[in-house]
Amino acid sequence: MPHALLHVLRYFLLGVLWLFFIYAVRMVVVEIRRSRAERLAPPPAATYGADQSIPLKLTVVDPPQRRGRTFDLGEEVTLGRSAGCAVPLEDDTFTSSVHARVFQRGGEYFLEDLGSTNGTWLNEERVNGTPMRLQRGDRMKVGSTTLEVTR
């Protein structure tokens, strides 16, 4: 094969690799912008009944030494061992530093696992990559702590 043809093929392959790299970076930027826009966009108007106007709370069910502690749910609440979490579970060694979050979107609350080691469970179903909708009476397990969604 002629030496000049090999040079042309080498530069062609290098160009294709660069185009792939630029395309991948562009897709990451688009995803970041989309998620940021979803976070900053106001939630759609919702109709609230008398029962829905009362904000939800998380109440510790288990372990017994923390039973009864309640935490108000705001726009976004994190759960974990870190002191910066709105729901601190500092003595639960099975909980990650920032284990999970509960956030509000469109008048509804959702539970999302934040890549914890031991996982997050909602009504005995593991919360994977997709946030799961919360309702009053739901039970979530974070580490060895069980919390119930109450009003």
Side-chain angles (χ1 to χ4, degrees), residues 11-27:
Y11 289 119
F12 176 77
L13 180 61
L14 187 60
V16 169
L17 286 173
W18 271 105
L19 286 174
F20 175 77
F21 177 75
I22 290 169
Y23 178 78
V25 168
R26 182 183 171 278
M27 296 311 310

Side-chain angles (χ1 to χ4, degrees), residues 66 80-81 89-97 99 113 116-121 141-145:
R66 286 184 294 189
R81 284 186 293 128
L89 305 170
E90 60 277 339
D91 55 341
D92 186 348
T93 57
F94 293 101
T95 302
S96 299
S97 295
H99 193 100
D113 183 77
S116 64
T117 304
N118 294 317
T120 302
W121 302 82
K141 187 168 175 108
V142 178
S144 63
T145 303

Side-chain angles (χ1 to χ4, degrees), residues 4-146:
L5 181 61
L6 288 176
H7 278 293
V8 169
L9 289 175
R10 182 183 315 162
Y11 289 119
F12 176 77
L13 180 61
L14 187 60
V16 169
L17 286 173
W18 271 105
L19 286 174
F20 175 77
F21 177 75
I22 290 169
Y23 178 78
V25 168
R26 182 183 171 278
M27 296 311 310
V28 168
V29 169
V30 166
E31 280 297 321
I32 290 171
R33 285 184 181 163
R34 185 181 344 170
S35 68
R36 185 176 297 152
E38 287 177 2
R39 268 197 332 250
L40 298 177
T47 308
Y48 296 103
D51 192 40
Q52 289 182 337
S53 64
I54 302 169
L56 292 178
K57 297 180 181 190
L58 291 178
T59 303
V60 177
V61 176
D62 197 42
Q65 63 268 26
R66 286 184 294 189
R67 182 176 292 140
R69 284 180 65 186
T70 60
F71 304 95
D72 292 328
L73 293 179
E75 289 290 318
E76 182 173 337
V77 174
T78 54
L79 298 88
R81 284 186 293 128
S82 175
C85 290
V87 180
L89 305 170
E90 60 277 339
D91 55 341
D92 186 348
T93 57
F94 293 101
T95 302
S96 299
S97 295
V98 182
H99 193 100
R101 77 177 180 130
V102 175
F103 62 96
Q104 189 177 22
R105 182 166 293 144
E108 296 181 318
Y109 287 96
F110 294 88
L111 173 65
E112 178 181 34
D113 183 77
L114 298 176
S116 64
T117 304
N118 294 317
T120 302
W121 302 82
L122 179 61
N123 298 326
E124 299 182 15
E125 184 178 335
R126 188 173 183 129
V127 178
N128 289 321
T130 307
M132 296 178 74
R133 191 166 74 88
L134 289 175
Q135 297 178 353
R136 191 177 79 191
D138 284 346
R139 287 195 174 202
M140 67 177 73
K141 187 168 175 108
V142 178
S144 63
T145 303
T146 304

